[in-house]
Amino acid sequence: MTVDPAREVIRVYVCSCFGVTEAQVKKHAEDGACTPRQIASVSKAGTDCGSCVRQIQSLLGRGACPRRELAEQGRPALAEFSGLAGHPVPAVTAEAA
């Protein structure tokens, strides 16, 4: 069997424990996962031996994160990101705490 180099897929594994690739981490990041913990929740990467967490942090870098950008603007990041933009998030005041 001959392998066509144009069709060959190179998989760089970030997490050997769960077989998570660099491309998968990048895709989860594009979909909104901004932290290693969020990557772990969608892929399990980093939840076994933990040796890949630094590499995941490196892949995430300081790039654009929808939630981070909203938080920096003083807007309710979680509400807007999760599709709850039309619903106000109650403010916590000193009296309520």
Side-chain angles (χ1 to χ4, degrees):
M1 178 177 184
T2 308
V3 177
D4 180 5
R7 294 189 56 159
E8 186 175 344
V9 176
I10 298 172
R11 290 187 177 97
V12 177
Y13 287 93
V14 173
C15 177
S16 299
C17 298
F18 294 104
V20 179
T21 65
E22 189 174 294
Q24 289 171 310
V25 170
K26 288 178 180 179
K27 174 67 172 124
H28 293 311
E30 288 173 9
D31 292 342
C34 301
T35 65
R37 184 171 289 185
Q38 292 167 345
I39 295 293
S41 72
V42 295
S43 69
K44 290 185 159 184
T47 62
D48 193 25
C49 77
S51 67
C52 60
V53 174
R54 288 184 188 241
Q55 189 172 1
I56 292 169
Q57 288 172 327
S58 175
L59 288 170
L60 295 175
R62 296 266 181 205
C65 175
R67 284 180 253 186
R68 186 179 303 127
E69 290 172 6
L70 291 171
E72 287 171 355
Q73 295 170 5
R75 294 165 51 195
L78 291 177
E80 290 195 34
F81 186 76
S82 65
L84 303 173
H87 305 283
V89 175
V92 176
T93 62
E95 297 84 31

